[in-house]
Every structure is written in C-alpha cells, then in structure tokens.
Amino acid sequence: MLKAENVTLAYGRTPVVHDVTLEITPGGVGLIGESGSGKTTLARAFLGLLKPVKGVILYGGRPLTDLRAFRREVQPVFQAESLDPRMRVGRSIAEARPAMPVASLMEAVGLDPALAGRRPHELSGGQRQRVVIARALAVEPRLLILDEPTSALDVTVQARILELLAGLETERLLITHNLAVVSRLCRTSHVLFAGRVVESGPTAELLARPMHPYTRALREAVPELGGSPPAATGAEPVTAATGCAYRLRCPLAVPACEERPEPVAIGDRRVACHRATEL
Amino acid sequence: MIEVSDLEVRYGTHVAASVPALTVRPGECVAIVGESGSGKSSTLMALLGLAEASGNVTICGVDVLRAGPRELRRLRGSKAALVMQSPQAALPPTTRLGAFMRRALKLHGVRASMEEAMRAVLLDPALLRRYPHEISGGQAQRFAIALAIALGAEVILADEPTSALDVTVQAEVIAVLQRLRAERDLAVLMVSHDLALVSTIADRIVVMKDGQVVGTLTHPYTRQELEAVFGAQG
Ligand SMILES: Nc1ncnc2c1ncn2[C@@H]1O[C@H](COP(=O)(O)OP(=O)(O)OP(=O)(O)O)[C@@H](O)[C@H]1O
Ligand code: SF4
Ligand SMILES: [Mg+2]
C-alpha cells in the first residue's frame, strides 16, 4: 500500500538514504540495519515528514498528496516518542479518540489501567513505550510504522507486545535491531547498510541463509543464552564512501568491491554484493 | 569495588527497589536483569547518589549515601562512570568531543592521553575533532567509555549500554568492556533486559521483580536456571 520508488533522502545537502525502492507488502515488513544506516530517516519519509530529494513515495499507487486521511491511516510508533510530560497518560490515550475504552486499550498492551492517572515520568521506560503503542492503536490505523517499538522493554513484556502486534490486522513496517522480532512479525525483510538496501527477501530464508556478508555478520553477532560472548572483529565500524560501503569490514572483500555492487535478483532474494552467489 | 547492603530506594513513600546485598569486585561484571519497572535503573541511580535511598553503598571507598555533593561529584566524574543507553544525548551538541574530554580531564585534574583512551576503545583519535551529531550511536557509546578510562574510572555502571546498537556494534562494545575488565581490573555493573547477552559475560546475574531481588545466579549458568529467569519474570 505504501511504496518508496528510487528514493534518495538528505539532511541539508548530505544524502543519507540512496536510491531505495521498498514496498510495504502484506504480512509485515522488517527493516534491519546498523545504527545510523538511515532506518528512521526512511520511516520519516514514509510518514510524509521528509520529502525525497529524488524518487517518490506512493500511497495506494499515487504520490503522497492528501495527507489528512493518510495521517489517520498510517500511525507512527517511534523510538523516542515524547508524551506530553504534564498530561496523565490515560488522557493522552483518550485524546487520540479510541474506538474502545481506554482501560481495555491499556490492558491490550499489558498496562495496568490503574496507571492511567500517572504522568509519563512516573512510569518506567517500558511502560511509557506501551502508552505510546496504545495511543497509536487507538485510531485503528491501517498501517503502523514502528521504530524500535520493543527495544526498551524486557523480554516478557516484549513477548506480550509482539503477541499483540502479531494478532493485529494492521499492516506494519517494523524497524528494529532485533532479528528475533522481525522473524516473528515480518514476512518480508530488508537489510539497510549505509543508506542502501543490501539484501531483501522472505524473512525466514534471509535469516536462515543470509547472502550478504553484513546480514551474515548480523546473524552471527546475536548472543546465545548461556553461550560465549558474541565474536567481535576489533575493527572500527566504518563505512567506505566509494564502492561497496561494507568493504572496509567485509571478510570477503576483493579488489572488485571498489566498484559499487548493484542489487541483483537471486531467486526471491535481492542482494547487492559482488560475491553473493558464492555464499 | 562496589559494596551494597540493605539498600532501599524510595520515591516518596513508594519503595522502588530494595537490594539486601550486592558486591562487584575489581575485574568482575555483575548484571541486574528484570522487567521494566522492576527497579533496575532506580537501583543504579541510587548507587551514584542520584536517587533518594537508605542503607549502605560504598563505591571506591566513598560512602555514597552519606557523602556530600562535592565528594559525590568527584566520585561520579572520575572513579565511577555512568554509561547510559544514549550517551549522545548527554554530550553538549556544540562542543567537539576532544574539547569535551579535555575539559573533563582538566576539571578533575587528571593528566591522561586522550588518544590512548580512544584507541583503548577502538576509536580513531581523529574522531576527537567531531561534534556529537557527527558520530554514530556505537561510537558515542565507546566515547563514553573512553572518557571514563581517561578519567581513571575503576567502576563502570551501565544502563542498557548496548540496547540502542545493532548486534554487530554491540559485539564490539562488549569486547571493549571485556578487555578493560581483564587489563585494567575494571568493575562493571550493568543493567540490561537482554538475558542472553548478559549470560555470555556476567560473573553473576541478579534478577529483580517488583522492586525485590528474587534470585542471584552465579557463572557458569545452566540452561535450566537461565530459562527459569523468564518464568520468574512472567
Ligand atoms: N536531523 C538530522 N540532521 C542531520 N543528520 C541527521 C539528522 N538525523 C539523522 N542524521 C544522520 O542521518 C544518518 C541516518 O540516520 P537515521 O537516524 O536515519 O539512522 P537509523 O538507522 O535510524 O539509526 P539508529 O539505529 O541509531 O536509530 C546518520 O548518519 C545520522 O547521523
Ligand atoms: S561487495 Fe565485496 S565488500 Fe561488499 S559485501 Fe560483497 S564481498 Fe563484501
Ligand atoms: Mg533510528
């Protein structure tokens, strides 16, 4: 329903997202990538908050113009969403004009309705995040754009919220560092590195058999319960300005990588790496 | 070295956390895990004298709950460092990293090589010329640790130090902490909701629920006791 076509995004004159084509398809879409890779920037463009310097954002096949209906249908749940510090959280939720009672909404996201009378600073970070989710769900949106919705939450609360999100009809674009979360909630995933999509495909396959070396590094760095510390390379997390941006960290880099790899289709995967077919 | 006994953290009359005993010796890493609102962060704040609390807290020889504001500021600025989830937000936006570190060193009368501290956390010293918004989250995290080392910190208290980072960068930050523990006998107390992560590095795991310590696990952990932590949280 929402699609970025060859979108380039910039702050001032510095482009941070380059020529990205990405469609929010049914079944949930995951956006994974390192800190600073442009995930939030792309999310802001999908919300109509940032205009592409190149390319277009299409909503139902048409360029984003009438933002009014759109604003209700597409709801953000952001990392650092700031709730009004003076407003009791129950009122914050009620202000969004929910279709169901505030107490049921709070229960739905695992919040004790007794907390409705508290102000944001009287709640833990995780509880605040749940208020933000309750507020976004209040208007029964068609699409949720979630930026690290559960990263501040502990595993059990996380599980309850994932359960909740998984049971919703609402389409979603989910930005996260957590691979377990995308595998649970997103049929399709895209891996962003230095502002470019380096790998896309069905989530289960992409995580089981990553084709891009960065996707592989991501998967291998996930700590295992009771295992050994995640392997570190000791390398500066730098990105190359020319050629493949990952080449300064890539264990497979060859001289050809000084040339930028174009994304190519391999089965139902798209991968931007000169050596993808060898993996 | 951190020693805690009979700690009670309060917001007004509400007891947010109560910790009967907790010790972190030099070179050790102890993790506090628990669901959101279980009192982890409140405990950490109280240890640095940043929350109303009673009981006994000794950090690097300073009696935290009875120390004056000047002594506390000295402790927080040099011997004990706090590393937050998003250290970028705590850096003055219009000051270059190098100027910020130089000022901190001068304030505490410490002579140390800034370049060496940067290299110790695998950061290019050239980054000292950058402004906070010109570095990534992972770099900011390691800069906070570099600053702590330059100031001669013996203890690091970290609140979700890697939860804003992707797992590849998290692995690098954790590796730096591990090396500093081994090489400099740094004591690390870390609050985290990531049980899998802490199970790979912590000597002990303190489990909190509803403001109470409901269990302490000691390395090596069995799969069974780790899985039971999820049960205790549920
Ligand atoms: N307001 C801004 N002005 C200038 N540069 C910005 C601004 N916001 C972000 N950037 C830069 O744009 C790039 C992409 O940032 P973005 O916030 O989209 O990354 P992200 O993938 O969401 O990272 P994280 O995982 O840390 O949230 C980064 O290099 C960042 O420093
Ligand atoms: S193009 Fe080269 S450097 Fe880039 S990911 Fe592939 S092998 Fe590594
Ligand atoms: Mg972001």
Side-chain angles (χ1 to χ4, degrees):
Chain A
M1 69 194 281
L2 201 52
K3 185 179 184 194
E5 239 175 39
N6 304 106
V7 160
T8 295
L9 302 164
Y11 293 107
R13 259 190 267 139
T14 318
V16 296
V17 166
H18 314 268
D19 198 22
V20 165
T21 295
L22 193 162
E23 185 170 7
I24 303 182
T25 44
V29 172
L31 192 55
I32 321 169
E34 92 173 330
S35 168
S37 60
K39 303 182 296 293
T40 301
T41 305
L42 198 54
R44 297 186 66 218
F46 273 130
L47 286 163
L49 300 172
L50 190 68
K51 256 186 127 154
V53 291
K54 268 205 319 245
V56 278
I57 304 284
L58 301 169
Y59 185 57
R62 262 176 274 140
L64 267 189
T65 41
D66 180 16
L67 285 175
R68 239 175 324 152
F70 176 80
R71 286 262 184 271
R72 229 183 139 73
E73 288 169 6
V74 180
Q75 284 288 319
V77 174
F78 266 31
Q79 230 165 10
E81 240 273 17
S82 55
L83 293 162
D84 186 333
R86 289 153 308 177
M87 198 183 284
R88 297 180 195 279
V89 297
R91 240 193 87 206
S92 271
I93 300 171
E95 277 214 328
R97 300 172 182 278
M100 58 167 134
V102 170
S104 340
L105 258 175
M106 290 183 72
E107 268 167 3
V109 297
L111 271 178
D112 182 350
L115 297 176
R118 300 235 189 134
R119 295 193 170 82
H121 74 272
E122 295 166 327
L123 296 177
S124 71
Q127 289 166 334
R128 270 199 297 274
Q129 188 65 0
R130 278 177 276 171
V131 172
V132 171
I133 295 175
R135 215 176 44 166
L137 289 175
V139 295
E140 301 185 330
R142 289 180 61 195
L143 171 67
L144 286 178
I145 295 191
L146 304 116
D147 194 348
E148 296 285 359
T150 60
S151 67
L153 309 180
D154 62 275
V155 273
T156 42
V157 182
Q158 224 173 61
R160 229 177 302 156
I161 292 193
L162 298 184
E163 200 72 49
L164 167 87
L165 293 173
L168 294 173
E169 299 281 300
T170 328
E171 294 302 334
R172 53 192 170 257
L173 174 70
L174 182 78
I175 295 172
T176 181
H177 294 125
N178 190 333
L179 303 189
V181 172
V182 284
S183 62
R184 183 74 211 289
L185 288 176
C186 307
R187 196 179 300 160
T188 313
S189 286
H190 302 266
V191 181
L192 207 61
F193 187 83
R196 286 176 204 274
V197 176
V198 295
E199 182 162 7
S200 309
T203 308
E205 237 182 78
L206 188 134
L207 293 182
R209 280 176 305 280
M211 289 179 129
H212 194 281
Y214 174 66
T215 317
R216 206 152 66 152
L218 268 181
R219 206 198 48 184
E220 280 164 10
V222 175
E224 238 177 87
L225 197 62
S228 29
T233 60
E236 238 311 68
V238 283
T239 52
T242 59
C244 173
Y246 192 56
R247 67 190 159 91
L248 303 177
R249 278 187 258 173
C250 181
L252 300 177
V254 289
C257 304
E258 283 165 33
E259 204 67 42
R260 176 159 21 256
E262 288 303 323
V264 291
I266 305 175
D268 45 11
R269 214 84 71 82
R270 277 184 85 74
V271 191
C273 167
H274 291 304
R275 305 190 61 183
T277 49
E278 299 170 39
L279 291 179
Chain B
M1 171 111 172
I2 303 174
E3 278 182 289
V4 176
S5 63
D6 306 318
L7 176 70
E8 255 191 18
V9 192
R10 263 180 253 100
Y11 294 113
T13 55
H14 172 66
V15 177
S18 129
V19 180
L22 176 71
T23 306
V24 190
R25 284 177 280 269
E28 278 189 337
C29 171
V30 173
I32 304 180
V33 302
E35 62 186 64
S36 61
S38 64
K40 308 183 297 276
S41 299
S42 305
T43 301
L44 210 59
M45 291 299 129
L47 295 190
L48 287 172
L50 297 168
E52 192 194 327
S54 62
N56 303 293
V57 175
T58 312
I59 297 185
C60 307
V62 175
D63 181 350
V64 172
L65 302 184
R66 278 164 281 276
R70 257 190 68 196
E71 202 176 354
L72 278 181
R73 228 173 305 132
R74 265 233 314 276
L75 173 72
R76 286 200 288 263
S78 56
K79 288 271 169 22
L82 182 63
V83 175
M84 307 282 284
Q85 191 171 349
S86 38
Q88 223 145 355
L91 293 168
T94 57
T95 309
R96 291 179 203 267
L97 301 180
F100 181 73
M101 193 186 276
R102 195 172 311 113
R103 210 175 295 160
L105 290 172
K106 200 169 160 206
L107 187 73
H108 293 284
V110 179
R111 295 169 76 94
S113 157
M114 300 203 293
E115 283 74 18
E116 204 180 292
M118 293 291 275
R119 282 193 206 98
V121 297
L122 297 171
L123 281 181
D124 183 346
L127 290 182
L128 289 167
R129 282 196 299 274
R130 302 252 192 111
Y131 290 98
H133 71 269
E134 294 174 333
I135 60 172
S136 77
Q139 291 169 332
Q141 210 61 273
R142 280 177 297 156
F143 177 74
I145 301 171
L147 184 64
I149 306 173
L151 288 166
E154 294 165 15
V155 167
I156 285 190
L157 295 109
D159 195 355
E160 302 283 5
T162 60
S163 71
L165 309 176
D166 90 357
V167 284
T168 62
V169 181
Q170 165 174 281
E172 305 300 331
V173 172
I174 291 298
V176 164
L177 280 177
Q178 293 290 81
R179 201 160 43 73
L180 293 172
R181 280 173 58 197
E183 287 174 6
R184 303 192 186 212
D185 251 356
L186 195 73
V188 179
L189 178 63
M190 181 161 129
V191 160
S192 176
H193 64 263
D194 190 343
L195 183 64
L197 173 67
V198 304
S199 75
T200 68
I201 54 167
D203 296 301
R204 286 186 298 288
I205 299 175
V206 176
V207 186
M208 291 192 75
K209 183 183 166 66
D210 297 332
Q212 305 291 322
V213 173
V214 295
T216 301
L217 312 183
T218 306
H219 191 84
Y221 313 110
T222 67
R223 186 141 196 118
Q224 217 173 3
E225 61 185 357
L226 286 173
E227 273 164 9
V229 173
F230 291 109
Q233 286 182 15

